[in-house]
Amino acid sequence: MSKLKTERCIESLLAVFQRYAGRDGDDCKLSKREFVAFMNTELAAFTKNQDPGVVDRMMKKLDLNSDGQLDFQEFLNLIGGIAVACHNSLVLNTQSR
Amino acid sequence: MSKLKTERCIESLLAVFQRYAGRDGDDCKLSKREFVAFMNTELAAFTKNQDPGVVDRMMKKLDLNSDGQLDFQEFLNLIGGIAVACHNSLVLNTQSR
């Protein structure tokens, strides 16, 4: 049975987080440098033409326990926040037709 | 620039939610029937050989505003919960080697 979209998506989230978090320091957390690399590579569409300070502010907002790093749950909050924003704009577009 | 894993994953979450939520009733929410169809198809690995009541209990737990349906944020909490559980077991396995 081919892997289903939802399972593949969960695996992608695990793999992408691990790829960046495993670069230096704690392999289970994104350091500031790893988070910046992730944002500028994986979510370049959201950081391109943005004031460089935006990634700093995002990191501070996501870092709920203020340990200067993002654990996997804090990382998922970012993905969830972007997905909800996309969903809301899709809904608005559909309603405005 | 080919779509990156994280962007594709966010799109998959939007598409999968829409495919099931759009079946009947409110197109922006998963009814109980739509949620059961989603679980038994997309996440069959988690419901196979399980007591059928498990999906009911999951629905109640996820339905934070108790409106008998799951909106996109409540749906994402499910995906996030599964991803965190998978991540934790990966970390435990790595540490026990």
Side-chain angles (χ1 to χ4, degrees), chain A residues 29-32 56-71 73-75 77:
Chain A
K29 293 189 178 174
L30 288 173
S31 65
K32 170 75 176 298
D56 288 352
R57 288 193 295 275
M58 284 174 76
M59 177 92 182
K60 278 198 184 77
K61 207 169 163 206
L62 291 165
D63 182 14
L64 300 179
N65 61 0
S66 311
D67 67 348
Q69 305 181 92
L70 297 184
D71 62 27
Q73 181 61 67
E74 291 167 336
F75 167 77
N77 293 340

Side-chain angles (χ1 to χ4, degrees), chain A residues 5 11-12 15 17 31 47-48 52 58 63 74 77 85 87 90 94 97:
Chain A
K5 248 188 180 177
E11 282 174 12
S12 299
F17 178 80
S31 65
T47 55
K48 218 172 28 181
M58 284 174 76
D63 182 14
E74 291 167 336
N77 293 340
H87 179 258
L90 275 173
T94 330
R97 275 189 212 135

Side-chain angles (χ1 to χ4, degrees), chain A residues 8-95:
Chain A
R8 272 204 313 271
C9 175
I10 291 171
E11 282 174 12
S12 299
L13 288 172
L14 291 164
V16 162
F17 178 80
Q18 215 49 57
R19 189 177 335 131
Y20 289 88
R23 289 187 174 186
D24 57 47
D26 184 338
D27 283 354
C28 293
K29 293 189 178 174
L30 288 173
S31 65
K32 170 75 176 298
R33 195 165 51 164
E34 292 166 336
F35 177 64
V36 171
F38 166 77
M39 285 303 298
N40 293 335
T41 312
E42 290 287 327
L43 293 177
F46 294 88
T47 55
K48 218 172 28 181
N49 315 322
Q50 291 277 349
D51 141 36
V54 76
V55 177
D56 288 352
R57 288 193 295 275
M58 284 174 76
M59 177 92 182
K60 278 198 184 77
K61 207 169 163 206
L62 291 165
D63 182 14
L64 300 179
N65 61 0
S66 311
D67 67 348
Q69 305 181 92
L70 297 184
D71 62 27
F72 187 58
Q73 181 61 67
E74 291 167 336
F75 167 77
L76 285 180
N77 293 340
L78 167 68
I79 305 299
I82 294 173
V84 167
C86 293
H87 179 258
N88 292 345
S89 75
L90 275 173
V91 169
L92 281 177
N93 284 341
T94 330
Q95 285 164 348

Side-chain angles (χ1 to χ4, degrees), chain A residues 77 80-81 83-85 87-88, chain B residues 17 28 62 64 70-79:
Chain A
N77 293 340
V84 167
H87 179 258
N88 292 345
Chain B
F17 179 81
C28 294
L62 291 165
L64 299 178
L70 297 184
D71 62 27
F72 187 59
Q73 181 60 67
E74 291 166 335
F75 167 77
L76 284 181
N77 294 340
L78 167 68
I79 305 299

Side-chain angles (χ1 to χ4, degrees), chain B residues 5 8 11 16 28 31 33 39 42 50 56 59 62 68 70 72 89 93-94:
Chain B
K5 248 188 182 177
R8 272 204 314 272
E11 281 174 12
V16 163
C28 294
S31 65
R33 194 164 51 163
M39 286 303 298
E42 291 286 326
Q50 291 277 349
D56 289 352
M59 177 92 182
L62 291 165
L70 297 184
F72 187 59
S89 76
N93 284 342
T94 329

